[in-house]
Amino acid sequence: MCGIAGYVGPRNAVDVVFDQLKRLEYRGYDSAGLAYVDEGRLHVLKKAGKLTGLGSLLAESKPSAHTAIAHSRWATHGGPTDLNAHPHHDQDAQISVIHNGIIENYLELKSDLVSRGHTFHSETDTEVAAHVIGEEYRDGVELVEAVRRAVAKLRGAFAFVVVSSAEPGTIVCARNASPLIVGFGEGESMVASDIPALLPYTRRVAILENDMVAKVTVDAIKFYSLEGKPIEPKPFDVDWDAVAAEKGGFEHFMIKEVHEQPEVVHQCLAGRVEGDHVKLDGLFSDHVWHEIDRINIIACGTAYHAGLMGKWMFERMLQLPVDVFYSSEFRYGEPLLSPRSLAIFVSQSGETADSLAALRLCKARRIRTLGVVNVVGSSIARDCDRVLYTQAGPEISVASTKAYTAQVLVLLLLVLHIAQVREMPGVRVPEIVQDLRGFAESMRQSLDLEPQVKALAERFKDSKMVFFLGRNADAHVALEAALKLKEIAYIPTQECPAGELKHGPLALVEPGVLAVFGATDPDTQDKLLSNMKEVQARGGTVVAVTTNEASAWADEMDTVLRVASCETKALAALSTIVPLQLLAYHLANLRGCEIDQPRNLAKSVTVE
Ligand code: M6R
């Protein structure tokens, strides 16, 4: 999620890495910094805020060096401040580290290091990793070896880039899950989190795979396994232009973000599931969870749809009453609020004006507030009493995709947390945690449906109206699928619980109408089949999105899209959002729509 750059070679490395960071600016960030090695000394410059802040520091000091690393941060642990900005150093300030990802076991490592006299200057997990690497970097051990040994002690997703004052001309990197790419230049070498940063300098690149360490010097880039065995890098030439490269080779940010969802699941769960239970840090103390008598979830658009899934999960699993409000309605609706209630604000940007206004109202009424927010340090995150970050990384496309998945997952984690605190015997936390662990793979399987979805989009690209229907959790996913389609393909939609069809919307069904049914819930399949038949009898075409295990009736439908089966119903329903996002995307693309910036819409709506 963060931007990473590194360079070793004859040019001024500081200028190169700053330029590389600028080329990663499209990802969004909240602070930036760099480290360079000059005359056997490490120098660090860093600043919260936009890159211009770091640019001003560079303009004042005009540094020059032949080895440098740089980082633009998308905060996860600790707010966006100068101190939390990367790079971070070890106890002896001999090495500088930049990092993308989340170290899950940083708290236990930190308390061990503190007990042995280490001091820390930031709230980040990265600084802990720097100290762990620093501890291994002694007694003549090479930096690459120290990083290799340290990585074995770290749990989580990461890409590290490290330099040392004792080894000028060397950059060491390590990767597990977070992306890292090395570039082979003419008499120069470099590293970055994303290909666009490298393109002005070289088109010859290689991907550092999971569980690999690399030693990057001016004339060689060597890869090693975590056991220290040399591995032959597999360089290839990038033929994308710079714009395509920003999108990772995808045509639009939206489709890139849809494809990021398995990774987002990992990021969102990182450090939050341990063994067979859930561990959420920084929440209210346990007695508060016993005291709460009602939850109000307040949000707009996609986040509101995630809130509806939240209600469904909270009420079923915790028997806790939940209302879900559009922020704009809540604000002026004179809501009745129990003093023992909790207001949960769900927001990707954390800056949505309607939600902020609703938050102010709750604060004025002294209601407890919790943010479920993606952008660290945003207004909603700052103003709520507590915050759970969705950790989905920057979302650039106006149409929200990966943020929705992460919002639903965080709400599920919260349900499990409360179930643990309240010792609810009916909630099978270990089984659900097991399903959560397999969920990234389920999302990957959902992405495999893309060729089928594309064919469907070809067939229905001239649709005048598309229905999205379902029952239970599938009905909530249907609302989100419909929003995606209207938003980017400008096709009118009709979305409602499938049982409501016969109470009115059925009048709109005629030959040529496409009706997409979410059908993952085994308990309502018979009723759903009747609703499908109602559509078919009036000439409509039925597409069922169901699970691998769903019964044979699904074969009677015009098209069946099968997602992975899952015992946890909310997760089975959630995995259907992927083919539905893909359907919206491919229909919009075939209709020549402006996908990432649809007409009349903005990513963050900062007016009421
Ligand atoms: O940043 P927020 O999550 O608070 O934004 C809420 C809505 O504006 C947002 O979800 C909007 O509906 C998206 N464009 C949907 O794709």
Side-chain angles (χ1 to χ4, degrees):
M1 316 288 171
C2 302
I4 281 182
Y7 173 88
V8 48
R11 309 186 207 218
N12 181 354
V14 177
D15 289 346
V16 173
V17 292
F18 187 62
D19 173 64
Q20 290 176 330
L21 275 197
K22 285 202 266 185
R23 291 171 194 282
L24 298 173
E25 246 181 322
Y26 65 92
R27 301 157 60 104
Y29 57 88
D30 50 47
S31 52
L34 57 79
Y36 58 95
V37 188
D38 184 34
E39 297 185 346
R41 288 188 56 208
L42 264 181
H43 304 260
V44 171
L45 296 168
K46 52 189 189 175
K47 191 89 194 129
K50 298 233 170 274
L51 268 187
T52 46
L54 179 61
S56 307
L57 294 181
L58 291 176
E60 277 165 31
S61 53
K62 299 198 174 42
S64 169
H66 295 294
T67 307
I69 59 175
H71 185 267
S72 51
R73 178 170 186 249
W74 171 265
T76 53
H77 291 72
T81 61
D82 289 354
L83 278 180
N84 287 335
H86 297 205
H88 292 285
H89 60 72
D90 64 324
Q91 180 71 6
D92 303 330
Q94 202 187 359
I95 60 163
S96 239
V97 178
I98 57 178
H99 163 224
N100 176 14
I102 293 168
I103 307 299
E104 292 178 18
N105 56 336
Y106 85 105
L107 281 177
E108 32 187 290
L109 291 168
K110 189 171 183 175
S111 66
D112 172 51
L113 289 160
V114 168
S115 73
R116 290 189 285 108
H118 286 239
T119 46
F120 291 88
H121 308 278
S122 77
E123 303 156 277
T124 63
D125 50 345
T126 307
E127 191 181 10
V128 176
H131 281 237
V132 175
I133 299 170
E135 285 224 310
E136 299 293 341
Y137 191 42
R138 50 171 71 138
D139 307 329
V141 169
E142 256 196 89
L143 184 60
V144 65
E145 175 60 14
V147 170
R148 195 180 68 75
R149 291 183 191 175
V151 158
K153 299 185 172 167
L154 305 174
R155 250 193 359 256
F158 49 75
F160 287 111
V161 178
V162 189
V163 287
S164 157
S165 54
E167 294 181 49
T170 297
I171 295 175
V172 172
C173 337
R175 176 197 168 161
N176 177 35
S178 301
L180 209 55
I181 293 137
V182 297
F184 299 80
E186 296 282 327
E188 55 188 0
S189 301
M190 56 215 87
V191 32
S193 51
D194 234 348
I195 287 174
L198 301 177
L199 287 186
Y201 305 95
T202 183
R203 288 188 166 264
R204 189 116 187 103
V205 305
I207 291 171
L208 191 70
E209 303 288 354
N210 283 342
D211 300 327
M212 282 192 197
V213 177
K215 179 177 175 182
V216 179
T217 56
V218 70
D219 47 12
I221 301 181
K222 294 186 175 154
F223 283 11
Y224 301 93
S225 70
L226 285 189
E227 292 69 44
K229 284 218 312 252
I231 296 173
E232 208 45 54
K234 294 188 186 120
F236 60 94
D237 290 317
V238 179
D239 55 8
W240 308 331
D241 63 24
V243 177
E246 283 185 354
K247 296 172 187 150
F250 290 100
E251 206 178 334
H252 298 97
F253 283 112
M254 181 187 170
I255 188 71
K256 175 175 182 255
E257 287 159 6
V258 168
H259 278 262
E260 278 171 3
Q261 288 176 110
E263 164 82 13
V264 165
V265 174
H266 282 303
Q267 292 279 2
C268 179
L269 301 181
R272 291 166 164 177
V273 286
E274 255 186 26
D276 61 4
H277 66 281
V278 164
K279 190 173 97 15
L280 293 180
D281 295 324
L283 279 179
F284 301 103
S285 38
D286 288 359
H287 76 92
V288 173
W289 297 114
H290 286 286
E291 206 174 287
I292 284 166
D293 63 349
R294 171 170 285 277
I295 291 180
N296 293 310
I297 301 181
I298 303 154
C300 308
T302 289
Y304 172 83
H305 295 151
L308 291 173
M309 285 289 274
K311 172 183 166 76
W312 193 83
M313 299 186 290
F314 271 98
E315 292 190 337
R316 259 175 190 67
M317 297 195 215
L318 299 175
Q319 275 83 59
L320 194 57
V322 177
D323 283 319
V324 189
F325 293 90
Y326 288 115
S327 309
S328 53
E329 289 296 299
F330 180 85
R331 168 76 178 78
Y332 297 102
E334 298 179 15
L336 301 172
L337 300 175
S338 151
R340 286 169 55 202
S341 67
L342 169 71
I344 301 181
F345 289 85
V346 185
S347 175
Q348 188 288 128
S349 64
E351 301 294 347
T352 300
D354 286 325
S355 300
L356 274 167
L359 173 55
R360 279 195 293 275
L361 185 141
C362 287
K363 297 212 77 125
R365 299 250 205 116
R366 299 184 181 283
I367 301 294
R368 282 189 192 99
T369 55
L370 167 70
V372 173
V373 178
N374 198 34
V375 179
V376 173
S378 56
S379 305
I380 294 177
R382 285 199 313 270
D383 292 353
C384 282
D385 298 330
R386 298 285 188 277
V387 61
L388 278 173
Y389 286 112
T390 44
Q391 301 180 177
E395 192 179 63
I396 294 165
S397 160
V398 166
S400 190
T401 53
K402 62 177 182 170
Y404 170 75
T405 294
Q407 286 160 351
V408 176
L409 287 180
V410 166
L411 290 170
L412 175 56
L413 289 171
L414 184 59
V415 169
L416 298 180
H417 174 81
I418 302 171
Q420 286 170 176
V421 174
R422 289 191 167 191
E423 296 176 6
M424 310 268 313
V427 186
R428 296 164 298 109
V429 176
E431 275 102 319
I432 300 173
V433 166
Q434 203 49 40
D435 285 346
L436 279 169
R437 288 186 189 282
F439 192 59
E441 179 51 31
S442 302
M443 293 300 260
R444 210 161 276 126
Q445 289 180 30
S446 291
L447 285 167
D448 289 344
L449 293 167
E450 189 159 14
Q452 259 175 288
V453 173
K454 231 168 151 173
L456 196 65
E458 284 282 357
R459 266 175 72 198
F460 289 95
K461 61 177 185 297
D462 299 320
S463 289
K464 299 271 176 296
M465 152 127 22
V466 179
F467 278 62
F468 288 94
L469 303 154
R471 284 170 177 256
N472 269 330
D474 292 322
H476 299 311
V477 176
L479 301 184
E480 173 56 11
L483 178 64
K484 288 292 89 71
L485 189 66
K486 339 183 207 260
E487 214 177 0
I488 60 165
Y490 316 141
I491 300 178
T493 61
Q494 175 65 47
E495 54 278 10
C496 63
E500 273 301 294
L501 202 54
K502 57 188 174 298
H503 298 288
L506 196 57
L508 294 170
V509 176
E510 57 185 358
V513 161
L514 171 64
V516 182
F517 282 78
T520 62
D521 181 6
D523 298 341
T524 57
Q525 286 199 350
D526 292 346
K527 295 274 186 296
L528 204 62
L529 178 60
S530 312
N531 304 137
M532 291 170 174
K533 293 283 176 200
E534 285 158 13
V535 171
Q536 284 181 323
R538 283 147 187 96
T541 304
V542 170
V543 172
V545 190
T546 185
T547 60
N548 284 328
E549 274 172 4
S551 54
W553 60 254
D555 297 328
E556 292 175 39
M557 302 304 122
D558 300 280
T559 300
V560 179
L561 300 170
R562 290 188 183 272
V563 299
S565 303
C566 184
E567 279 293 309
T568 304
K569 287 181 178 183
L571 292 179
L574 182 57
S575 61
T576 67
I577 195 59
V578 173
L580 302 177
Q581 292 164 342
L582 290 169
L583 180 65
Y585 173 79
H586 287 292
L587 280 169
N589 210 15
L590 288 166
R591 292 160 71 97
C593 300
E594 189 75 44
I595 291 179
D596 285 332
Q597 274 153 353
R599 67 187 184 203
N600 311 338
L601 300 178
K603 181 67 185 158
S604 177
V605 184
T606 52
V607 288
E608 276 188 64

